[in-house]
Amino acid sequence: YIGARALVSSLPKVEWLLGDRGYDADWFREALKDKGIRACIPGRKQRKKTVKYDKRRYRRRNRIEIMFGRLKDWRRVATRYDRCPKVFLSAIALAALVIYWL
């Protein structure tokens, strides 16, 4: 929760936020609601009151995780050889282009 609390104020204007059960907290849901962001976070199993979420949208979040996994296959991106942000972003763009092409 420490990372989420620090970053919630700097979230961009988006419609949805997809998260796993680890981000299931009432204060986090309220903070997202205050910013106009709809949360797609399933409730923890220990939660007494069930939380509604878009199950179809939540199932599709694995595409994002698969994309990060494929990017990490590129050693240059995974270990961050490039210290300059522009060069690092260029390496990510090149890796994404090759992954998409293949």
Side-chain angles (χ1 to χ4, degrees):
Y1 296 124
I2 296 169
R5 188 178 305 274
L7 294 175
V8 76
S9 62
S10 64
L11 285 173
K13 181 68 177 156
V14 295
E15 189 175 339
W16 286 88
L17 182 117
L18 304 176
D20 60 0
R21 294 178 195 270
Y23 292 101
D24 178 35
D26 292 330
W27 69 266
F28 188 58
R29 291 179 186 275
E30 287 299 320
L32 292 174
K33 187 186 249 185
D34 292 342
K35 288 190 65 103
I37 300 172
R38 297 174 64 186
C40 184
I41 304 170
R44 293 181 188 244
K45 294 183 181 185
Q46 296 88 4
R47 187 182 263 273
K48 292 182 175 119
K49 183 181 174 187
T50 60
V51 177
K52 290 186 177 183
Y53 66 98
D54 189 353
K55 292 180 182 179
R56 184 170 158 227
R57 189 178 301 270
Y58 181 73
R59 250 185 270 129
R60 291 188 293 177
R61 80 180 174 86
N62 71 344
R63 294 178 185 173
I64 299 167
E65 292 178 9
I66 289 170
M67 185 267 310
F68 278 114
R70 288 185 180 164
L71 279 175
K72 287 181 181 180
D73 287 342
W74 288 66
R75 187 173 177 185
R76 179 182 203 102
V77 173
T79 57
R80 187 147 186 198
Y81 285 154
D82 306 312
R83 296 294 170 211
C84 177
K86 289 182 181 181
V87 176
F88 182 64
L89 185 59
S90 300
I92 290 175
L94 179 64
L97 180 71
V98 171
I99 290 168
Y100 176 76
W101 195 318
L102 297 178

